[in-house]
Amino acid sequence: MDSLRFNLQQSPFQLRPRRTIRPRITNISNQTEETETRPPSSAGKIQRLVLNNEGRTKLNAGPDREFYSYPRFVNHVDDGFISSLTDLYRNRLRSGSIVLDLMSSWVSHLPEEVKYEKVVGHGLNAQELARNPRVDYFFVKDLNEDQKLEFQDKYFDAVLCSVGVQYLQQPEKVFAEVYRVLKPGGALIVSFSNRMFYEKAIRVWRDGTEYGRVQLVVQYFQSVQGFTQPETIRQQPPPGGGAEKPVLNWFMGLIGLASRPDPFNAVIAYKNFKPLYE
């Protein structure tokens, strides 16, 4: 499988500044020296499979790398969702943390005032990731083809996955790898709304209800031994698109121009235990 790496050449443990690295294409299958010397994986133990084969299917079965080859410099959720997500990160991520932003793009929605030791970005479009101001390093990888994260065990304080979980065809394996690279007490924060690229979302997600999707992500966590009991956060927008301008919202809805604000859903769990901070 071809894999693009940016700012993570040479070694997954020796990250170089983004400004000095040029994109290149490497063939993972040819990197026998690295894979042969790597110690046995200590990924989290998958206790059961949540999805059957049919539930993992997509309407568009073409390569995800091709679908996301064109950069989309847009927000895939509205301002209300972004504000809720940033507040969640502000409350759950400590200053100085090492963070992995999985399935990211040109924005990470991290609070601007908080300084992290390192933010590593992952996604399928290098142009988007290169524009992300919060990312120190990034790499391009299709997690539906290869779920291996080339980082040492217990490396990250937190792993984030915003509005991307609906596209994972092997979520159990991805969550198990995230468990491996998290430090004890590290958090995995998965957030999503009701938007999606319909043809690229897996069938069980497309056919599910909003509540059912929350419970599905809970099951992803529960499928991997060692995560704490998942915590769910659900924020539903007020009826009619908000109460701040009820007459305007009513009129816009009447003429078909109003859109309902995005619901905010997040599922959070920790590796081994939930830390207590003063």
Side-chain angles (χ1 to χ4, degrees), residues 46-241:
I46 298 175
Q47 303 180 106
R48 64 183 180 87
L49 296 180
V50 177
L51 305 179
N52 58 28
N53 290 336
E54 185 177 6
R56 303 176 195 272
T57 60
K58 299 184 178 186
L59 293 176
N60 181 346
D64 289 344
R65 183 75 64 81
E66 293 182 7
F67 182 83
Y68 295 101
S69 62
Y70 185 80
R72 298 173 173 89
F73 295 110
V74 298
N75 287 320
H76 298 285
V77 283
D78 65 16
D79 290 344
F81 182 103
I82 293 172
S83 177
S84 294
L85 182 59
T86 300
D87 284 343
L88 179 62
Y89 290 161
R90 182 178 290 112
N91 293 330
R92 299 300 180 102
L93 304 181
R94 301 187 72 189
S95 175
S97 295
I98 301 176
V99 178
L100 172 60
D101 190 7
L102 278 182
M103 307 180 80
S104 186
S105 62
W106 65 294
V107 287
S108 289
H109 308 307
L110 292 164
E112 294 183 0
E113 75 279 7
V114 180
K115 304 299 181 183
Y116 304 100
E117 178 179 335
K118 188 178 300 170
V119 178
V120 178
H122 156 265
L124 279 175
N125 189 281
Q127 290 175 271
E128 291 182 11
L129 293 167
R131 284 271 298 273
N132 190 325
R134 296 309 302 269
V135 168
D136 298 295
Y137 313 95
F138 69 88
F139 65 104
V140 175
K141 188 184 189 73
D142 185 352
L143 292 177
N144 287 330
E145 292 185 358
D146 180 9
Q147 295 78 47
K148 180 67 178 178
L149 298 174
E150 297 179 11
F151 299 96
Q152 66 190 37
D153 296 355
K154 305 174 185 178
Y155 186 73
F156 293 100
D157 297 290
V159 176
L160 318 175
C161 182
S162 175
V163 297
V165 68
Q166 60 266 36
Y167 307 117
L168 291 176
Q169 291 180 284
Q170 302 292 334
E172 303 95 339
K173 293 181 180 180
V174 173
F175 276 54
E177 266 294 278
V178 169
Y179 180 90
R180 179 183 67 80
V181 301
L182 275 174
K183 298 176 182 177
L188 170 55
I189 303 176
V190 180
S191 58
F192 51 94
S193 188
N194 54 6
R195 298 200 203 185
M196 71 188 88
F197 292 119
Y198 194 79
E199 67 271 35
K200 277 299 183 181
I202 61 174
R203 178 170 181 172
V204 69
W205 194 278
R206 299 193 312 268
D207 294 346
T209 63
E210 185 178 338
Y211 176 78
R213 292 165 185 158
V214 172
Q215 295 307 306
L216 183 65
V217 177
V218 168
Q219 291 183 63
Y220 291 166
F221 277 105
Q222 294 174 337
S223 71
V224 178
Q225 182 177 331
F227 276 117
T228 61
Q229 179 62 29
E231 172 189 355
T232 62
I233 299 174
R234 299 188 65 198
Q235 297 176 5
Q236 295 299 313

Side-chain angles (χ1 to χ4, degrees), residues 235-269:
Q235 297 176 5
Q236 295 299 313
E244 67 283 357
K245 297 180 180 179
V247 176
L248 178 60
N249 290 333
W250 173 84
F251 177 74
M252 296 296 283
L254 185 66
I255 63 177
L257 295 180
S259 60
R260 181 178 173 85
D262 294 337
F264 176 79
N265 301 299
V267 185
I268 309 162

